Amino acid sequence: MSAGRLLSVLLLLQSRGRVSARGIADELGVSVRTAYRDVVRLQAAGVPVYAEPGRGGGYQLLDGYRTRLTGMSQGEARALLFAGLPGPAADLGLAAEVTAARLKLLAALPAGLREEAARTAAVFHLDAPAWYRDPEQTPHLSVFVDAVLTRRVVDVRYRRWRAPQEVQRRLRPYGLVLKSGVWYLVAATESRVATYRVTQVLDAVPSDERFDRPPDFDLGAYWTSYLDDFQQRRFTGTATIRLSARGRRHLPDNLPPEVVRAVESTATAVGDDGWVEAVIPIESTEHACGELLRLGVDVEVVAPAELRQAMADTVAVLARAYGVG
C-alpha cells in the first residue's frame, strides 16, 4: 500500500470534487479495484469520503473538508522536493527545512495516513554515493544553490581534464543534478550550455548580475541528452580479447555494463576449454589496459597491437618489480 498514493487520491478528490472510481484509476495509473481499495482505506483512516450512486456519480469529500498544509516557509516548500533525500538535502543546506516540512506534512494528515506514512518512511533509506567511494567535498555547492534559485551570475575558476586545465568561466546556472552521489552544475556561458562537476570548482564568486533562464529549458531533457552524447563520445575504438570461463563470470564485477553486453553479443568459442573471443568497446589504450588488467590471467588482448603491447609492457614492469625474469 502506498501512503503517497492515498494522499494523491485525497488531493484529487479535494481539487476535482466528485470523481468516479474509473477516474481515480485512470488519473493514478492503477486498476479500478485498487481505486476502490484506496477509497476504503481513506474512509478507515477517518477521511469523510462518501459515494454518490447513479449515472454521473462517484466519490467526493464531505462539504467543507480540506487537508491543511499551512504555515510552510518558502525554504520548507522547496525542501519538500527532497523529503525522501536526506543526504542530498543536507548537501543543499536544507536539512532543517526538510525536517520541519516533514513534520508539518505529517501533522496535516489524518491519523491513519500519518501512521501509514511513518511506516513507509521507516522502511526506505537512500544512500546516494556509490560503493568504495567517499562522498565528494563540495564547498561551493551552496553558492550554486542560491544562484540557481535567484538567477544570479557566478564567476568560477574550474579545473578540467584537458589543457589548459585551469580556466575561468562566467556562468548562468540553470540547475543542479545529483548523479550517483556526484553533484553536477548545468550552466550557460556566452556561447553554450555545459555541464560542470561541482567538486572541480576551485572558486565561485556570485556577482550582482541577474539573468533570465530560457522558459523552454527542460533540465531533465537536457540531462538525458547529455548522457546520450557522453556515451557516444566515451568509447573511441574497439578491441578484440579472449576470456576464460572464469574471466567471463567475473566480467560484470570488473568492467562497465557496455563491455559486458558486447561480450555477450559477440563471444565465439575458441577451442574446447571454455575460452571465448569477443569484440569490446574501449575508451583509450591507457584506460583499456588498466581495466583489463583487473582480470589478470583470465584475459588476453588479441588486437589492436598497441593495446596488446601496452598490456605486455605493464606485465613486464610488474614482473621486474617482483623479481621475476
Side-chain angles (χ1 to χ4, degrees), residues 247-257 260 264 295:
R248 194 171 180 181
R249 288 196 304 271
H250 291 171
L251 201 64
D253 298 325
N254 291 281
L255 274 77
V260 177
E264 293 302 317
L295 297 174

Side-chain angles (χ1 to χ4, degrees), residues 95-167:
E97 286 84 354
V98 164
T99 299
R102 181 174 176 275
L103 290 174
K104 289 180 179 181
L105 179 60
L106 290 175
L109 295 174
L113 289 183
R114 187 160 55 245
E115 294 168 2
E116 187 73 43
R119 284 194 296 271
T120 300
V123 296
F124 290 99
H125 176 73
L126 174 68
D127 184 9
W131 285 104
Y132 316 117
R133 178 192 294 171
D134 290 331
E136 294 196 336
Q137 300 303 309
T138 53
H140 303 296
L141 182 60
S142 60
V143 173
F144 296 127
V145 171
D146 182 71
V148 166
L149 295 174
T150 62
R151 301 187 178 184
R152 190 184 299 272
V153 173
V154 180
D155 293 307
V156 305
R157 187 163 55 93
Y158 187 74
R159 180 177 56 233
R160 59 183 186 174
W161 64 270
R162 66 178 183 273
Q165 286 194 309
E166 192 172 306
V167 295

